[in-house]
Amino acid sequence: MELRRLRYFVVLAEELHFTRAAARLHIAQPALSQQVRALEREFGARLIDRGAGACTLTQVGAVVAAEAAVLLAQADAARERIAAAARGQGGQIRLAYTRSARGGRVDALVERFRAQNPLVEVLPETGWHAPNVAGLLAGRYDAAFVRPPLDDPGIGWRLVDIEELRLALPVGHPLARLRRISREAVAGEPAVMWPRENGPGMFDRIVAQVWPSGGFNLIRYEPDDEQLLRAVAAGGVLAAVPEGRAKALRLRGVVLRRFTPPVPTVDIGLAWNERTVTPVVRRLLATLEEL
């Protein structure tokens, strides 16, 4: 069934006059008559009773006109959704957050993107840097927040934010009395950290900045920043944690202190697979540029 014929018939059903309907459709009247006859042959029933220029709908014709109006509205809406997806304004985006970065510019970016693209369905997940990159390469995600540096071929990324590292200490720790902590004071202190395979680049960057002369005394692993801070609250260990995550968690028994200059930092980036980048991802990147 041709949608064009149904569209012609709906206009004829509204006008009930071949000449006026043909004028609205910008076609010749004989062409309109030909399309209506073809539709009648397709349905095997007379759809209109013809008069001198004017016409009336048969019982079957009234049903066809009503159903065709619904079908055409659905087709137009579907066409618009497809066009919006092609422009990056519709469809969906499978987006992976990294466990160590929520709040701040990350959430601001996603919320602004949602506001600008209400037709896009955001399908979020949360993982560590390494699984997020693996998900991009495997096609499970369209975009992912990651912790640079990245050296994965085929993965593009842009900087979203630079976060200061804070030192998390138990409330009763002697260093908690200081406003800023030197690297020398931290050397040799028992530390807790998440496993390096979760984010090798970020792990190495933290160690290189906080313990540049050695003395990284790692005695305990925990799976994520929340568990790191819980271990700190329990006493006996300290941890270097991104400022945004540490402030968002705010666990009792933990104090946060800044380091003496140069202030250690970690990056948060937005990454995508260069081979499968979609129009929706390009719109997310455009939103990032606006920020």
Side-chain angles (χ1 to χ4, degrees), residues 210-255:
V210 178
W211 294 274
S213 301
F216 180 40
N217 183 18
L218 179 63
I219 67 167
R220 179 173 174 176
Y221 286 106
E222 291 293 344
D224 54 36
D225 289 325
E226 181 175 358
Q227 296 307 316
L228 291 187
L229 294 176
R230 292 190 183 280
V232 171
V237 292
L238 51 77
V241 185
E243 180 181 26
R245 187 66 173 152
K247 287 185 174 181
L249 292 170
R250 289 286 185 187
L251 293 187
R252 179 176 297 180
V254 177
V255 295

Side-chain angles (χ1 to χ4, degrees), residues 9-204:
F9 186 74
V10 168
V11 173
L12 179 61
E14 293 172 352
E15 295 291 342
L16 293 177
H17 196 282
F18 273 91
T19 302
R20 291 197 299 268
R24 273 184 58 185
L25 293 166
H26 303 289
I27 62 173
Q29 182 176 327
L32 176 58
S33 298
Q34 183 181 11
Q35 293 297 323
V36 172
R37 283 195 292 269
L39 199 59
E40 288 178 322
R41 288 194 299 270
E42 187 172 350
F43 286 119
R46 194 175 72 255
L47 302 181
I48 60 172
D49 289 324
R50 293 164 175 80
C55 61
T56 58
L57 297 177
T58 65
Q59 184 176 2
V60 176
V63 173
V64 171
E67 295 294 337
V70 174
L71 182 61
L72 290 170
Q74 292 174 340
D76 290 342
R79 186 179 293 108
E80 176 56 33
R81 289 193 296 270
I82 293 169
R87 298 191 301 267
Q89 296 173 338
Q92 60 180 216
I93 181 169
R94 298 165 298 170
L95 179 64
Y97 290 96
T98 178
R99 291 187 182 279
S100 63
R102 288 302 304 270
R105 290 175 62 86
V106 169
D107 284 358
L109 168 61
V110 176
E111 287 307 312
R112 187 167 191 170
F113 175 78
R114 288 179 185 270
Q116 293 176 337
N117 302 271
L119 298 180
V120 174
E121 182 182 14
V122 179
L123 304 176
E125 293 189 28
T126 300
W128 280 98
H129 166 93
N132 284 357
V133 172
L136 288 174
L137 292 172
R140 292 194 304 273
Y141 304 133
D142 300 307
F145 290 102
V146 294
R147 287 295 191 179
L150 283 81
D151 56 1
D152 303 270
I155 296 295
W157 71 277
R158 290 184 189 172
L159 183 68
V160 175
D161 201 5
I162 300 174
E163 285 190 280
E164 182 177 336
L165 284 173
R166 293 293 185 94
L167 184 65
L169 298 156
V171 171
H173 196 285
L175 294 177
R177 296 194 300 267
L178 304 176
R179 294 188 63 184
R180 285 184 176 263
I181 311 297
S182 68
R183 284 15 176 225
E184 293 76 14
V186 175
E189 288 285 335
V192 57
M193 192 68 163
W194 34 263
R196 183 178 181 276
E197 57 266 26
N198 290 352
M202 182 180 179
F203 186 102
D204 293 344

